[in-house]
Amino acid sequence: LYPCISSLLPDNVSFKSRIKIQIRMTDIDILNHVNNGVIASYFDLGRLNYLKTVSGKIDLAKLDLVIVHTEFDYFASIRFTDNIAVDTTVLEFGNKTVKMAQRIVDVNTGKCFCSCISVLCDFDREKDCAIPIDENFKMNVLKFERDR
């Protein structure tokens, strides 16, 4: 009904994870819609929910995936009364990266408010550099994407 027609998202993308978002009064800006910076934090919640679902318990002190690139397409304003969720999936793996697709939708109508592409890399904190994506993580993601 309201597709996320975006150059960011492939036509055949299938979202495997959803988290409902509670819009807070402090999320609303002077124009009476959710501020774009807050929308970025909604996508963070979606990514963390996905990672937690795929990997089990997440220890933020040991989470070594860092965002190296994000892109957003905005389609409609999110209002305080909207009932929204963030859908998330993994599109592909590189050697040291994982590319994720996300969208914010109205849970009742399917209306798409915004889409997002993020590229994350696995990171070695001691050496301060990117490292290859952990194979166990990759296998868990592939199993999750296949089984859902």
Side-chain angles (χ1 to χ4, degrees):
L1 184 59
Y2 300 95
C4 284
I5 299 172
S6 168
S7 61
L8 300 180
L9 301 179
D11 292 336
N12 61 347
V13 67
S14 175
F15 292 92
K16 304 298 182 177
S17 172
R18 173 171 278 188
I19 184 170
K20 291 179 86 175
I21 302 294
Q22 178 182 349
I23 300 171
R24 302 162 301 201
M25 290 187 67
T26 56
D27 296 348
I28 306 300
D29 64 18
I30 198 164
L31 298 175
N32 200 30
H33 66 256
V34 174
N35 182 277
N36 289 356
V38 173
I39 289 173
S41 72
Y42 293 169
F43 285 125
D44 283 341
L45 289 171
R47 275 189 296 275
L48 282 174
N49 180 66
Y50 184 94
L51 295 172
K52 189 165 109 177
T53 302
V54 168
S55 301
K57 183 180 174 186
I58 289 184
D59 182 350
L60 290 177
K62 294 179 181 176
L63 184 63
D64 291 329
L65 286 172
V66 295
I67 297 171
V68 295
H69 179 80
T70 55
E71 292 180 59
F72 302 99
D73 276 344
Y74 298 97
F75 306 109
S77 294
I78 302 172
R79 306 287 180 190
F80 184 72
T81 55
D82 289 324
N83 186 10
I84 62 170
V86 175
D87 294 334
T88 304
T89 194
V90 165
L91 293 178
E92 63 188 30
F93 286 98
N95 180 40
K96 298 178 182 181
T97 61
V98 56
K99 186 176 188 179
M100 301 183 88
Q102 297 178 281
R103 67 183 179 190
I104 298 176
V105 296
D106 184 293
V107 198
N108 301 316
T109 66
K111 178 180 181 179
C112 184
F113 294 101
C114 185
S115 65
C116 173
I117 293 290
S118 300
V119 178
L120 295 84
C121 77
D122 212 344
F123 190 74
D124 185 318
R125 294 176 190 216
E126 291 179 15
K127 295 180 182 175
D128 196 30
C129 64
I131 57 174
I133 294 289
D134 180 80
E135 286 300 318
N136 287 331
F137 170 72
K138 196 183 291 188
M139 299 223 348
N140 286 342
V141 167
L142 295 173
K143 181 180 184 323
F144 176 75
E145 291 289 329
R146 182 184 63 242
D147 291 348
R148 295 291 266 186

